[in-house]
Amino acid sequence: MRTYKLLALSTLLAVTAFAKAGPPWISIEYPGNPYSQDRDAYLFVHTFHHGTPVPNPVSGTAEGIVQGERRTVALKFGSTSRPGVYSLAKQWANEGTWTLVIAGTQGAGESNTVYAVVELGSDGRVASVRVPTVRKGAHILPALVQMSEIDAALRERAGRLATK
């Protein structure tokens, strides 16, 4: 009887470990549904484990250049009634050039964090969303986002807008 309990426990642990294996994913919903309870949200952040919505913690910053000065605003996310979905209200200035860097984390370690880089247009709307990835063999994994890359792209965009 003990052998069966031990075998059942080890099988359960193996299945649980397998289910948690693999990287997280993140996606951005914009514009948000104006008929939802969270109609004041600028956008929504969805976090996944593979294709399953999961309530992974999210964090992020708004990185901007306003009148030639570099700005960083820590973002606060709200919960929603949907699993793995967070609301983000606008927390950055109307003027300037902005990029949102949003992270979804599933456990510890670099490979357990996925980033969405959201570039905002001069009209304040989302201009582009990208989730940086790397290919390792047959797998597509989240890539680490370097703030130096964000800063360089932000300065290049602000420079282009200034010459228009």
Side-chain angles (χ1 to χ4, degrees), residues 71-154:
R71 309 261 194 227
T72 298
V73 176
L75 298 174
K76 294 178 184 151
F77 297 86
S79 60
T80 70
S81 60
R82 298 181 286 170
V85 181
Y86 302 89
S87 63
L88 178 65
K90 187 173 180 296
Q91 300 160 44
W92 51 93
N94 289 329
E95 61 275 350
T97 304
W98 292 93
T99 298
L100 309 179
V101 181
I102 301 170
T105 305
Q106 165 186 285
E110 287 180 3
S111 63
N112 287 320
T113 300
V114 61
Y115 296 90
V117 178
V118 182
E119 291 186 351
L120 307 183
S122 59
D123 60 358
R125 296 180 184 172
V126 170
S128 71
V129 176
R130 66 183 176 88
V131 177
T133 59
V134 295
R135 183 173 285 281
K136 290 196 177 180
H139 303 286
I140 297 173
L141 302 173
L144 188 60
V145 170
Q146 301 292 333
M147 288 311 289
S148 59
E149 294 171 16
I150 298 296
D151 188 57
L154 195 55

